[in-house]
Amino acid sequence: MKIVSVNTWGGRVMEGFRDFLRRHADTDVFCFQEVYHEAHGKDTIWLDGSNFNFLNDIKAALPNYDCYYRPHLDDWWGLAMFVKKGMKVIEEGEWYVHKYKGHNPAVEVHGYTAKNVQFLKVELRGAPFHVLNFHGL
């Protein structure tokens, strides 16, 4: 099984990212951090070239993968896993390890958003295999 984990920088380098995906076309599971989803007008801090529709762009670039998205800032910024179609996903979810789901960091700065660990359990050669995706403080 091939797993690749990438901090996407909010989709700031999309062309390089597409090249990266092409070079890793044999990957079974991609783990991405700092993924925006329909976030236009929602992020008031990182306005420097972020791709506020990045999740949909990744979906378009990886049509042979199933997407599992776990935002930790409202519904628009967080973690995403892409699993090659045909892999048996037994379970998918998240655990919060800093703050809690729905925490509003409006009065705090940068690293004080809630943080979750996204998990995935797939079947690999008849046995469960766990993959974790995390973006720390």
Side-chain angles (χ1 to χ4, degrees):
M1 172 177 270
K2 181 176 177 182
I3 302 169
V4 174
S5 180
V6 177
N7 184 323
T8 68
W9 286 8
R12 289 178 182 85
V13 288
M14 193 60 196
E15 193 52 44
F17 186 73
R18 284 189 187 104
D19 292 338
F20 171 84
L21 294 178
R22 281 191 283 276
R23 287 192 316 272
H24 295 282
D26 61 338
T27 298
D28 297 301
V29 179
F30 285 100
C31 299
F32 301 124
Q33 303 88 41
E34 295 190 13
V35 177
Y36 284 102
H37 177 58
E38 299 175 0
H40 294 281
K42 296 178 182 177
D43 191 342
T44 59
I45 296 172
W46 301 107
L47 303 176
D48 56 348
S50 295
N51 180 344
F52 294 121
N53 203 30
F54 195 40
L55 183 65
N56 290 333
D57 289 345
I58 300 171
K59 286 179 183 179
L62 295 173
N64 296 323
Y65 289 78
D66 292 316
C67 172
Y68 298 89
Y69 184 59
R70 292 290 177 164
H72 48 249
L73 185 56
D74 293 327
D75 62 347
W76 54 268
W77 192 71
L79 307 173
M81 283 192 197
F82 282 75
V83 179
K84 190 171 277 185
K85 289 185 188 276
M87 290 191 71
K88 183 177 180 182
V89 175
I90 300 167
E91 185 179 3
E92 185 274 337
E94 66 188 342
W95 303 296
Y96 273 79
V97 294
H98 180 70
K99 307 286 184 183
Y100 52 89
K101 186 176 185 89
H103 169 68
N104 183 351
V107 296
E108 300 177 26
V109 180
H110 302 304
Y112 295 98
T113 62
K115 293 294 181 173
N116 54 346
V117 176
Q118 181 181 27
F119 68 86
L120 181 76
K121 182 168 43 169
V122 298
E123 186 175 299
L124 181 64
R125 296 182 206 109
F129 185 85
H130 300 266
V131 181
L132 303 176
N133 186 15
F134 177 64
H135 181 233
L137 294 174

